[in-house]
Structures are given as structure tokens and as C-alpha cells.
Amino acid sequence: MNNYTVLVVDDDKEIREAIEIYLKNEGLTVLLAGDGVEAIERLRESEVHLIILDVMMPRMDGISATFKIREQKNIPIIILSAKSEDTDKILGLQVGADDYVTKPFNPLELIARVKSQLRRYVKLGHFEGRNRTIDLNGLTIDQEAKEVAVNGEAVKLTPIEYKIVELLMMNAGRVFSISEIYERVWQEPCYNAENTVAVHIRKIREKIEIDPKNPRYLKVVWGIGYKMEK
């Protein structure tokens, strides 16, 4: 985990510093910010590979910051939330977060999620048969450049969205259950992941489909899962 930088954003100084200690113990470089405004400033100043971002903060909260960051960068974002309600988690995922951890959190769980996200980010596209271009009736994926395009127009995807698209495109026509998608992409056991996967599928459709309500590429097979149409 050396040579990777994590930005920790939380208005609670003690929480920031506690997370910093755990991350540094893993050999990671750590930057700190007290709110969303400071976070965006840090991103302009330094190269960052992952962000841990609290939801409730002054000046600019975590949801607004995630939305702003996603306009420019696709680095992994882990949301920290003091709320346990699904609505808070889903909102974070809807605006582009890749994962969430509910406060109070187990530091070992947070570190495990950080490592998992970093592995996916720095090894993005490392499925068997990478370094190829796949074309499905105008939807293309360049696995070497990690780029997706529709009719030649580049589509900006988050790391998780890219992994879902890549998985489905490499297995076009095959139906994947929600649990299969979650376990293949998130690389951890599936537990109550229906909302998480559904949110990402909806965001992907909004980006690759002309009419997301009548998708041409990413199809649902009711009661079973999702597939990418050949």
C-alpha cells in the first residue's frame, strides 16, 4: 500500500487524526481536511488515490463534495455517515460514492474497505482477457485505457461503474444475479446489497442509454438479475 495517498475529510479533529494513525500504520500517505471546501482544495494541490468523506460537515457537506469531486475525478470515495438509514447511504451512492461506512465504525473494517477500493482503483480492468476492445452495437470498452464510449462519445464512469460494465460486457448475454455482480465487483460477500447494486445500475444506464427507462444495452431479467445485450 506504499505510495498511495488517502484524503480524510471530517470536521471532527479527533476522528480525522484517529483515521490518520490507522492509515499511516498501513504505509499510506494521509492528507487531512475539515470540510468539503478544504477537500477540493487538497485535491487541486496533491495527487490523491482515495477519499474518506464524512457526510455532516460545515460549509460543504460530504454529499455536495462528492457531487463536485465527481465532476472532475473518478478516484474511489468512501462515505462516513453517522446515520444508519438506507436513504443516507443511497444518496451517497447516487452522487458517485463507491462505498460507505456507518459511524461508529470498526477501524479494521474501514482499513479493509480502503485496501479493497485501492486495489480495484490501481488495478482497474484486470479481468482475464484485458487489453482488448469490446464493441456491442456502438457501446465500446477499451480495457487498456479503461474507457467506455457510446457511438464514439466517451462516457465518464466511476471505478465501480466501470467494473460493472466491464464484467457484463465481457460476458455479454449472460445473466448475473445481484449477488454475483456484488461479489465479483466488490470482491466481498453479498449481504443486503440489492440497493447498492441497483443504484449503480441506474447511474450506468443514465450514462450509456439514450432512454434509460427503455435500455438498449443494460437489461434487467426480472427475478434473476442483469445482463448486457449482445
Side-chain angles (χ1 to χ4, degrees), residues 1-10 15-34 38-43 45-54 69 73 75-80 98 101 105 107 109-119 121-122:
M1 286 290 143
N2 291 333
N3 302 321
Y4 301 129
T5 299
V6 177
L7 173 60
V8 179
V9 190
D10 198 303
I15 292 178
R16 286 200 308 269
E17 293 179 348
I19 295 174
E20 179 183 21
I21 291 171
Y22 285 108
L23 293 174
K24 285 186 173 179
N25 285 341
E26 298 296 326
L28 294 160
T29 299
V30 182
L31 301 176
L32 302 176
E38 286 187 21
I40 292 171
E41 290 174 357
R42 298 288 181 274
L43 289 172
E45 299 165 354
S46 306
E47 181 180 8
V48 173
H49 303 96
L50 182 142
I51 305 171
I52 298 173
L53 189 62
D54 186 34
I69 291 165
K73 296 181 180 293
I75 56 179
I77 298 175
I78 298 176
I79 289 284
L80 290 181
D98 298 284
V101 175
F105 55 84
E109 178 189 357
L110 178 60
I111 294 302
R113 290 178 180 273
V114 166
K115 289 181 177 180
S116 177
Q117 290 293 336
L118 281 173
R119 281 195 299 269
Y121 180 59
V122 301

Side-chain angles (χ1 to χ4, degrees), residues 78-92:
I78 298 176
I79 289 284
L80 290 181
S81 172
K83 300 177 181 178
S84 60
E85 290 86 353
D86 283 343
T87 52
D88 201 44
K89 300 169 184 177
I90 292 171
L91 183 57

